[in-house]
């Protein structure tokens, strides 16, 4: 294989799985040299040079589908058009950076400014550098729908959610991040062009990526997700593992995603699993990071350090 052939599909910073004559190596691309590519293993930081002539094949885990929409307030945050549907899905969970730009505060537990971090948690996060690109967490379901409407209004879109007919969350009588409920029912206009949470079915369709893997993009969870065995018990920057076939990252592991459906008057479903083994006690025989796992629900007003959310936007 030549350098030009590899560079045609792979960019600096991409995570790629390379098959060579002596085995496989997964790493983040750091440099294209004259005769070899430099990769760094994102889990242990070790680097390795692999000669182009030694490469048999490679897989970025990325979709060849190029229909991507940028979120205006934060151009690093993107949405991917899901094939054969009428909606776009967040390429990653909402990051701390994007959340703070919209809400003017960051409630996440996993940030270095949090003086409640345990020593081992702080050490693990310091090794990762800034947490701006880590998924936002410690947000309730109500916080998530509030965020969706606020972002929609900022971008001139029609908000999806309403409370007593009011779509501007300023008038909902609700203060985010206080672990409180919104006093009235939250209604959703699924035809509005603003941001909202996916339904269970929408989330699962996107997570499958048109494939039949156990996890989103692979049978091997280490390839696509941060979970109990590889996370050092903290969240990680988004898009560091391999994407599924639609180009979506972190749909297995890192943080759970809130979705629309409710299991009772006070609970909402979460999907995708997290960095933390937080459903093992209830469901010891299954792994919450599996695409098919859809029976875990959480109190809608509570904030959890392992739960964030992912945006969906209907196509105009």
């Amino acid at each position: 294989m030549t350098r030009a052939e590899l560079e045609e599909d792979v960019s600096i910073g991409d995570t790629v799985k390379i098959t060579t004559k002596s085995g496989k190596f997964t790493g983040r691309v750091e440099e294209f040299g004259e005769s070899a590519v430099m990769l760094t293993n994102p889990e242990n930081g070790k680097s390795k040079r692999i000669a182009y002539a030694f490469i048999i094949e490679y897989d970025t885990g990325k979709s060849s589908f190029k229909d991507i929409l940028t979120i205006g307030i934060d151009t690093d945050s993107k949405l991917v058009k899901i094939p054969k549907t009428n909606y776009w899905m967040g390429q990653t969970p909402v990051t701390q950076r994007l959340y703070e730009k919209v809400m003017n505060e960051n409630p996440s537990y996993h940030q270095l400014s949090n003086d409640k971090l345990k020593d081992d948690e702080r050490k693990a996060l310091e090794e990762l550098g800034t947490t701006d690109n880590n998924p936002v967490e410690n947000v309730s379901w109500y916080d998530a729908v509030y965020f969706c409407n606020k972002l929609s209004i900022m971008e001139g879109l029609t908000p999806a959610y309403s409370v007593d007919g009011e779509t501007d969350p300023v008038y909902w009588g609700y203060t985010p991040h206080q672990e409180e409920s919104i006093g009235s029912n939250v209604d959703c206009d699924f035809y509005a062009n603003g941001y909202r949470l996916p339904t269970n079915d929408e989330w699962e369709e996107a997570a499958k990526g048109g494939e039949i893997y156990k996890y989103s993009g692979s049978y091997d969870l280490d390839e696509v997700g941060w979970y109990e065995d590889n996370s050092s018990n903290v969240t990680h920057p988004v898009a560091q593992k391999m994407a599924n076939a639609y180009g979506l990252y972190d749909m297995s592991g890192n943080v759970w995603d809130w979705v629309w459906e409710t299991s009772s008057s006070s609970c909402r479903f979460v999907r995708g699993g997290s960095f933390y083994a937080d459903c093992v006690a209830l469901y010891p025989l299954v792994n919450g990071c599996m695409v098919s796992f859809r029976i875990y629900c959480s109190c809608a007003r509570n904030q959890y350090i392992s739960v964030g959310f992912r945006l969906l936007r209907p196509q105009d």
Side-chain angles (χ1 to χ4, degrees):
M1 182 169 293
T2 68
R3 173 178 176 175
E5 289 173 327
L6 187 63
E7 282 192 285
E8 183 177 352
D9 294 324
V10 181
S11 302
I12 300 295
D14 286 350
T15 297
V16 60
K17 181 195 292 182
I18 288 180
T19 301
T20 70
K21 298 174 183 178
S22 61
K24 295 182 178 181
F25 185 83
T26 299
R28 186 171 54 248
V29 178
E30 303 294 343
E31 177 187 354
F32 292 105
E34 289 298 320
S35 60
V37 61
M38 173 72 79
L39 301 178
T40 297
N41 187 319
E43 294 185 24
N44 58 27
K46 294 183 178 179
S47 297
K48 183 174 183 176
R49 293 180 64 84
I50 300 178
Y52 302 119
F54 203 58
I55 298 174
I56 298 174
E57 61 181 6
Y58 61 91
D59 180 13
T60 64
K62 292 183 177 180
S63 171
S64 59
F65 196 79
K66 302 298 183 182
D67 209 344
I68 294 177
L69 185 68
T70 296
I71 295 177
I73 193 172
D74 183 71
T75 55
D76 289 331
S77 296
K78 298 177 176 64
L79 301 163
V80 176
K81 177 67 172 64
I82 304 304
K84 300 179 182 179
T85 74
N86 64 346
Y87 62 87
W88 307 73
M89 183 75 76
Q91 191 174 44
T92 70
V94 171
T95 62
Q96 294 182 29
R97 179 190 62 248
L98 173 58
Y99 193 88
E100 189 165 3
K101 285 184 177 181
V102 175
M103 302 290 281
N104 297 315
E105 58 182 323
N106 179 5
S108 299
Y109 177 83
H110 295 95
Q111 56 175 317
L112 293 174
S113 60
N114 180 15
D115 58 10
K116 295 182 180 179
L117 287 171
K118 300 175 183 177
D119 290 344
D120 57 337
E121 294 170 336
R122 182 172 298 281
K123 181 179 179 182
L125 290 174
E126 286 176 343
E127 290 177 354
L128 296 173
T130 176
T131 59
D132 287 352
N133 212 35
N134 287 36
V136 70
E137 25 77 15
N138 214 24
V139 288
S140 71
W141 184 88
Y142 292 109
D143 296 336
V145 299
Y146 189 105
F147 173 95
C148 288
N149 270 30
K150 189 170 181 180
L151 177 58
S152 296
I153 292 170
M154 293 173 75
E155 295 199 0
L157 303 172
T158 302
Y161 299 112
S162 63
V163 175
D164 295 329
E166 180 58 67
T167 59
D168 190 336
V170 171
Y171 301 109
W172 288 355
Y174 175 76
T175 302
H177 317 134
Q178 302 300 311
E179 292 200 306
E180 297 176 351
S181 302
I182 293 176
S184 299
N185 289 335
V186 178
D187 297 313
C188 182
D189 178 0
F190 292 95
Y191 296 99
N193 67 353
Y195 298 98
R196 61 176 173 84
L197 301 178
T199 65
N200 247 328
D201 288 343
E202 289 167 338
W203 186 96
E204 190 166 319
E205 182 173 31
K208 286 179 178 178
E211 301 170 318
I212 57 172
Y213 291 122
K214 183 176 182 179
Y215 305 107
S216 183
S218 179
Y219 287 115
D220 184 352
L221 184 52
D222 278 295
E223 289 186 341
V224 295
W226 299 106
Y227 69 111
E228 181 186 18
D229 289 352
N230 67 6
S231 69
S232 299
N233 213 34
V234 296
T235 63
H236 284 250
V238 299
Q240 296 299 299
K241 294 291 189 174
M242 293 181 68
N244 72 4
Y246 289 165
L248 302 176
Y249 295 89
D250 299 283
M251 295 203 80
S252 289
N254 216 352
V255 293
W256 296 92
D257 291 335
W258 287 112
V259 295
W260 167 253
E261 273 80 6
T262 179
S263 62
S264 69
S265 60
S266 61
C267 289
R268 296 280 172 168
F269 285 103
V270 292
R271 299 299 301 271
S274 78
F275 71 93
Y276 179 64
D278 40 5
C279 72
V280 172
L282 293 176
Y283 308 102
L285 300 180
V286 298
N287 188 322
C289 296
M290 296 187 302
V291 170
S292 61
F293 186 76
R294 59 188 297 166
I295 59 174
Y296 194 38
C297 61
S298 298
C299 181
R301 65 180 175 82
N302 285 1
Q303 298 171 218
Y304 303 92
I305 65 172
S306 59
V307 179
F309 63 101
R310 187 181 298 259
L311 296 172
L312 179 146
R313 180 182 162 188
Q315 189 173 15
D316 291 334

